[in-house]
Amino acid sequence: MHRTPRPRLRGPAAALAAAALLGGVLTGGATAQAAPRTDGRLTDLVNPLIGTQNEGNTYPGASVPFGMVQLSPDTGHNTGYDYGENHIRGFSAVHLSGVGCGLGGDLPTLPTTGDVTETDYAKYAAEFSHDDEKASPGYYKVGLKTGIGAELTATQRTGVQRYTFPATDKANVLLNAGQSLHRTLSSEVEILDSRTVRTAITGSGFCQDTKPYTVYTVTHFDRPFTTSGTWNGDTVTEGSRKSSATDARNGAWLRFDTSKDRTVEATTALSYVDAKGAALNLRAEGGRSFDRVERAAQRGWEDRLEGVKAQGGSDELRRTFYSSLYRSFLAPNVGSDVDGRYTGWDQKKHRANGFTYYQNWSLWDTYRTQAQLLSLLAPRESRDMAISVLRIDAESGWLPKWGYGTVETNIMTGDPVTPFLTNAYQQGLLKGYEEQAYRALKKNADGVPAADSAPVGREANVEYLKDGFAPYIKDRQHAKPGDSDYDHGASATLEYALSDGMLAEMARDLGHDADAARYDTRAQNYRKIFDPSTGFFRARDASGAFTGPADPAESEGFHEGTSWQYQWMVPQDIPGMVDLIGGKDAANERLDSFFAYDELLDDPAKTAREVWVNGPYAYYNADKYNPQNEPDLIAPYTYLSTGQPWKTTDVVHAALTLFTNGPTGMTGNDDLGTMSAWMVLSSIGVFPVQPGTDTWGLSTPAFERVDIRLDRRYYPRGSLTVSAPGASDTDRYIQSARLDGARQSRTYLTTDDIRSARSLSFTVGSEPSAWGTAPEDAPPALG
């Protein structure tokens, strides 16, 4: 017998709490009519400056979807641009959205006037004001207080700059090859002719030193320069055509006479292969005017955004939604040249035949949200991305963990590549590659990389396979750069077990039954670190003894979180985890405490900002939900498995209020689209509650209707409409759901459901209902 749950707050108090809950996230009636027209350009709703302050670490500059080039201003912040700064050091060609450490910033280029005397970009940086700044998808413009205007746009492998100088015979463009956002080990510059400059830049780093990589550039101007030179260290030499440096400042300067023609355009092409690759990329994608390139970039972004058409919702919601959708398409990035060549992780040159090679893999982050969103909205590119990851294994001997360009950084812990690739398999993106992928994943799951190879892989796998847990070994000396699973033994154990559960599903599908049984057993290893005396997960040392503080709000043994936050990260077996902590009633009581649910109902926006979020990088020593970091991304959907699905909507919609249309409007680092994809999926009401499988949890959409365009090659129906007529800040609770008109009592869909359906519709109301509360309605445990 199904019992309707009793509401927590009702009457006038409930109405006030509900109105506060979404802070305009959901709007209905007359308010909805004030929203922007849906027939306008969606790119006009995007604000690339969101996340550029308070350590969101996004960039406001110009790029195209998944482009190799991200041409953007650098102000002195370690990841590039910070809204609080007022000087631009240069417009550099490589950035990653929302990374937590300095990375990229190669070839900062800055227009100046007068004599060239300074060679340090911190000293020759130009002041600017946000009042004279504009950013939109594929375009950036700023007025420098030197009297120079700068505009940026991009193609896939080139960045195009247009400068408008004052009338002068000393208009300069500085190409700085020796300074960047990471450590520049060496650089070479060569002025080839009166319009063209070539560079080779070798760098290292991302949070710490890594193996070096080299990026090659060639910059071509639309007019000849009147004179030129180079600098090396502090020495500026007019007429010099070549310069090289090791761990020192190095660059080239070009001078133009703008007494009559005041504009100068420059196109810079990149290659991670060689100088020939940069020249080929320039020949294929250069040669067009700035205006033509900018229009093409805008059209490309408009087409991407039109894949998701949302109706209803406040102006703030629509702007943050489409800005998040925009950021979800910024990475991974094309790594192969126009001729298909790329540099593999073996540092050798290869050619991609029949696919585009991609690079930049923030897998600990993206496997939870962005990989799934791209599998829906960009399956062809997602397939190539998965194939690229398999090429890394084939060429370097091991699958990646956190890859930048052509090297492994080993940043973060666990085994994120497994759910990334099993997701690609479950979404049908690996046809023809299934067994190759499985062999690579099995090797990764059952072994450890050799001592002389760059990756750490499952670093603690020997102990994990023997004892069922990764030990926490404090102050252990690490042989390889990057993070160590031994430093975070408890969370590494949970990550390994999650991956084992996902791999078991793939093994079973492919007929590897013995492996499936073995991985199913290992997926239960989360139990090995459950401490009955505390009722929480806890680190164990090499002898097997529980170690570190017994307080679950302490972080020792957990990576960027605590036991409170990691306890819900068992998506392969939520029922088993719930049983461990005493059953559904105990789990719901703990969830309510975790989300400060009573406070949330009283003032959700304040709870989100003052109880949940404690500041940038405040990941440690807390007993509350942290919506700005990856370990908690799935946590709100746990209520789907504990018989109280309406609370998922309450928590999710409160978290959505953290996304705002301003520089501080990003919750945490974006981590290559991870947080943005969370916002997009949660706003649509369809979320990957078991990353690495084909299971999608449901919650009330933040819009009345969302039309999603799907690629017929992977989704034969070609579209899916998610609707919730009348959804508002008060009417937000699912009363019933239908899939193509058929009753849908489950709180989840499968990918096959999405492939076969055209519509998912919700009836909503002001009171929680019995929808989705039966045990059989919950997402199933794996295995």
Side-chain angles (χ1 to χ4, degrees), residues 210-272:
T210 62
K211 284 195 172 183
Y213 70 91
T214 301
V215 60
Y216 303 86
T217 81
V218 57
T219 302
H220 186 75
F221 292 84
D222 69 336
R223 56 189 286 195
F225 27 87
T226 58
T227 188
S228 61
T230 65
W231 72 79
N232 195 306
D234 292 322
T235 303
V236 179
T237 307
E238 184 171 357
S240 169
R241 300 179 67 88
K242 289 185 179 182
S243 180
S244 61
T246 300
D247 205 14
R249 298 193 300 277
N250 189 37
W253 57 273
L254 310 315
R255 176 162 295 164
F256 301 86
D257 186 340
T258 58
S259 300
K260 296 180 180 179
D261 183 358
R262 295 176 55 194
T263 63
V264 175
E265 294 186 12
T267 302
T268 299
L270 299 191
S271 170
Y272 287 84

Side-chain angles (χ1 to χ4, degrees), residues 256-318:
F256 301 86
D257 186 340
T258 58
S259 300
K260 296 180 180 179
D261 183 358
R262 295 176 55 194
T263 63
V264 175
E265 294 186 12
T267 302
T268 299
L270 299 191
S271 170
Y272 287 84
V273 181
D274 52 26
K276 173 187 173 184
L280 288 173
N281 292 341
L282 179 66
R283 188 180 308 157
E285 299 184 16
R288 292 179 290 166
S289 70
F290 182 96
D291 289 332
R292 286 186 61 194
V293 174
E294 191 275 326
R295 286 194 297 268
Q298 191 274 329
R299 286 194 301 270
W301 277 114
E302 192 70 25
D303 180 67
R304 286 288 176 185
L305 299 179
E306 284 181 344
V308 184
K309 291 189 174 181
Q311 298 180 27
S314 67
D315 177 65
E316 179 88 351
L317 173 64
R318 287 173 55 76

Side-chain angles (χ1 to χ4, degrees), residues 14-19 22 26-27 726-733 764-767:
L16 290 173
L22 299 183
L26 296 179
T27 56
S728 69
D729 50 6
T730 54
D731 293 344
R732 66 181 183 272
Y733 295 114
V764 295
S766 60
E767 302 279 336

Side-chain angles (χ1 to χ4, degrees), residues 424-459:
Y425 166 74
Q426 297 289 356
Q427 310 306 333
L429 305 179
L430 286 179
K431 293 189 185 302
Y433 289 85
E434 296 94 337
E435 288 296 339
Q436 179 184 344
Y438 180 73
R439 288 193 299 272
L441 287 169
K442 181 178 179 180
K443 176 179 63 178
N444 175 77
D446 292 346
V448 180
D452 61 353
S453 65
V456 297
R458 287 194 182 197
E459 185 184 16

Side-chain angles (χ1 to χ4, degrees), residues 311-334:
Q311 298 180 27
S314 67
D315 177 65
E316 179 88 351
L317 173 64
R318 287 173 55 76
R319 291 185 181 279
T320 56
F321 177 81
Y322 280 105
S323 297
S324 294
L325 185 59
Y326 159 78
R327 289 190 300 270
S328 299
F329 290 122
L330 291 175
N333 306 102
V334 170

Side-chain angles (χ1 to χ4, degrees), residues 657-738:
T657 66
L658 295 168
F659 294 83
T660 61
N661 184 34
T664 61
M666 189 76 233
T667 176
N669 302 147
D670 198 29
D671 290 320
L672 276 69
T674 299
M675 307 308 294
S676 292
W678 186 95
M679 192 275 177
V680 170
L681 289 162
S682 293
S683 296
I684 293 172
V686 179
F687 188 87
V689 293
Q690 292 174 330
T693 72
D694 62 348
T695 304
W696 303 81
L698 302 178
S699 64
T700 305
F703 296 99
E704 291 194 79
R705 176 173 173 145
V706 180
D707 293 293
I708 305 170
R709 183 181 66 204
L710 300 173
D711 189 327
R712 290 186 182 275
R713 181 183 301 185
Y714 299 92
Y715 302 94
R717 294 284 189 172
S719 65
L720 177 69
T721 296
V722 180
S723 61
S728 69
D729 50 6
T730 54
D731 293 344
R732 66 181 183 272
Y733 295 114
I734 298 172
Q735 308 297 302
S736 63
R738 292 187 177 274

Side-chain angles (χ1 to χ4, degrees), residues 4 56 120 147 150 153 169 242 301 316 321 379 429 480 485 490 503 521 536 554 565 598 628 644 659 663 673 734 749:
T4 302
D120 183 347
T153 189
D169 62 355
K242 289 185 179 182
W301 277 114
E316 179 88 351
F321 177 81
L429 305 179
K480 299 180 182 181
D485 290 346
L503 187 54
T521 299
F536 284 86
E554 296 289 331
Q565 291 154 351
D598 289 337
Q628 65 179 354
Q644 297 184 338
F659 294 83
I734 298 172
L749 298 178

